[in-house]
Amino acid sequence: MQIAAVAVSATDLSRAVAFYERLGFRFPAVEPDTEHVEAEAGIRLMIDTAALLEGLHGEPPRPGNAAGFALLFDSPSEVDEAVGRVSASGGTVVLEPFDAPWGQRYATVADPDGYRVDLFCPLSGQSW
């Protein structure tokens, strides 16, 4: 068994796509009537409109208060740069980057709808 995709919902699909593009994802163009979009390469990240998911599940989606997924970066500076892009765009930085005692450069950001994403990279001498 393996996880095939990670999915989040968005009240504003274009705004959510812009947020995840700041973290390094790439998406096809979002047309006005688009309800579902998937990243073009790498991790399969799916974003559905909140309205679509409410229709499918019978209730509005709600983000959790803990990270739904984590992104592994190639270097500690890439973690810092990703957090910088989120912050510079007015996004929410939940936890500023720091050198965690478990041996990672670690941070948490929140997407426009409140879904949390952990960003990390092993520190020198540590392995993932």
Side-chain angles (χ1 to χ4, degrees):
M1 182 186 321
Q2 67 179 4
I3 294 175
V6 173
V8 296
S9 67
T11 54
D12 180 331
L13 196 60
S14 294
R15 185 176 67 165
V17 165
F19 170 84
Y20 286 103
E21 285 182 336
R22 285 184 204 97
L23 295 179
F25 290 94
R26 294 291 166 249
F27 295 90
V30 176
E31 302 298 326
D33 60 344
T34 301
E35 291 187 302
H36 173 91
V37 66
E38 294 186 22
E40 293 182 325
I43 300 169
R44 186 172 175 207
L45 174 63
M46 304 183 307
I47 306 175
D48 295 306
T49 63
L52 173 66
L53 291 181
E54 184 171 359
L56 291 172
H57 301 154
E59 63 182 8
R62 293 179 300 277
N65 64 358
F69 61 97
L71 300 176
L72 171 63
F73 287 84
D74 290 331
S75 70
S77 65
E78 287 183 4
V79 172
D80 295 352
E81 291 163 4
V83 171
R85 289 190 300 272
V86 168
S87 179
S89 69
T92 302
V93 177
V94 177
L95 181 63
E96 290 286 344
F98 72 104
D99 292 343
W102 54 86
Q104 296 173 342
R105 185 69 173 166
Y106 189 89
T108 303
V109 296
D111 81 3
D113 288 282
Y115 290 96
R116 295 191 179 185
V117 182
D118 291 340
L119 315 176
F120 74 100
C121 178
L123 294 170
S124 180
Q126 303 290 323
S127 64
W128 160 235

